[in-house]
Structure formats: C-alpha cells, structure tokens
Amino acid sequence: MSTAKESIEVAVPVRTAYDQWTQFESFPQFMDGVERIEQRTDTLTHWVTQIAGVKREFDAEITEQIPDTKVAWVTLGGETEQSGVVTFEPIDPSHTQVTLMMDLDGEGLAERIGDRMGYVDRQVKGDLKRFKHFIEDRGAPTGEAHGR
C-alpha cells in the first residue's frame, strides 16, 4: 500500500478552490494519467486512467463531502484500490491551502515498482501544482460545485 500526502497554497478563495475540485470531469485538464471522468450520480464517478502504459477503469464513491472543507472517496471494486481525502483551508480571503491525502494499493508489477520508486508522491505533487496553475489562471471554477 502506498500513501501520499501533499499540500499547496492556491491564490483563490476557498470557495473557488473547492468548487473547481468538485468539477470532476475537468480533472483530465490538470491530472496526469486521467483520461476521463464521468459523474454518474451525486456520489458516484467513473474513471478511465492510463498511467505508465497501464489502462484502468473504476468507479469511485464520495463517502464524505463538506462544502468548502472536504471531499473523501473510495474506489468500488475493480483492479484499483484507492481512498483519499482533499481538504480546503482558508489562509486569508484570497488564498487557500489544499491538502491531498491518498492511499493506493496497485495490483500489477508496474504499480509495485512505481510505488517503491516514489511515483505516487511525485504524481500527487505534480497534480496539485497543475491544479494550482489551472485554477489561478482561470480565477473562477469551470462550473458550480457538486454536493452543495
């Protein structure tokens, strides 16, 4: 099992950061390896990823959602076991700390090797940096928050 935790400060209000994060279909624009996400219900998403040449499809359920504060999830079945939580903490009226914590249990050889080489930590750190640039460049979310 691999665990990663990273934080980043974004120069947008907490509501803007949270609202963008809940636009799950926009994740491919800032998350490496995410090809597509479909929001099927308020609490269920379907993911298609391709990381290090390994393509996976899985469903994820939102297990806890507190507007402007937290989103937690867990994968359902499939080849990928993952759980995580992203939190949003206001620093001041125009800055937010975003913290992403994930636990992953990859099944294949590529996942085990990647885990030992620190791939998950680098992936999470890179995704947060790309999220920062994405939301700061836009200055506003791509839509209204899901789960408000």
Side-chain angles (χ1 to χ4, degrees):
M1 168 112 14
S2 178
T3 300
K5 179 180 178 181
E6 292 289 337
S7 294
I8 198 161
E9 181 180 319
V10 295
V12 297
V14 69
R15 175 159 282 186
T16 302
Y18 173 86
D19 286 359
Q20 183 57 58
W21 194 274
T22 63
Q23 300 301 307
F24 304 110
E25 283 118 355
S26 73
F27 280 20
Q29 296 178 62
F30 59 84
M31 284 193 168
D32 256 2
V34 176
E35 291 186 352
R36 185 178 80 246
I37 299 177
E38 298 168 14
Q39 178 124 20
R40 296 196 167 160
T41 70
D42 285 344
T43 60
L44 184 67
T45 56
H46 181 76
W47 293 60
V48 178
T49 63
Q50 184 158 346
I51 300 172
V54 178
K55 189 167 189 159
R56 300 266 194 250
E57 288 196 44
F58 56 91
D59 291 329
E61 179 182 25
I62 297 168
T63 57
E64 184 176 13
Q65 189 166 3
I66 303 169
D68 301 335
T69 304
K70 177 194 316 191
V71 179
W73 70 92
V74 63
T75 57
L76 304 172
E79 301 172 327
T80 301
E81 289 185 40
Q82 180 191 112
S83 62
V85 63
V86 61
T87 60
F88 306 86
E89 185 174 335
I91 296 169
D92 62 36
S94 60
H95 293 84
T96 302
Q97 179 171 311
V98 179
T99 301
L100 177 59
M101 295 170 280
M102 292 179 54
D103 290 320
L104 282 90
D105 192 11
E107 299 225 347
L109 178 62
E111 287 94 343
R112 289 193 300 272
I113 291 170
D115 181 22
R116 289 189 191 112
M117 297 177 72
Y119 177 80
V120 174
D121 289 329
R122 287 191 306 277
Q123 181 77 28
V124 167
K125 190 174 198 168
D127 287 346
L128 282 179
K129 282 182 182 178
R130 285 183 293 279
F131 175 74
K132 173 183 176 66
H133 294 297
F134 182 81
I135 191 59
E136 288 179 355
D137 289 349
R138 291 187 52 79
T142 55
E144 292 185 31
H146 292 285
R148 256 198 208 285

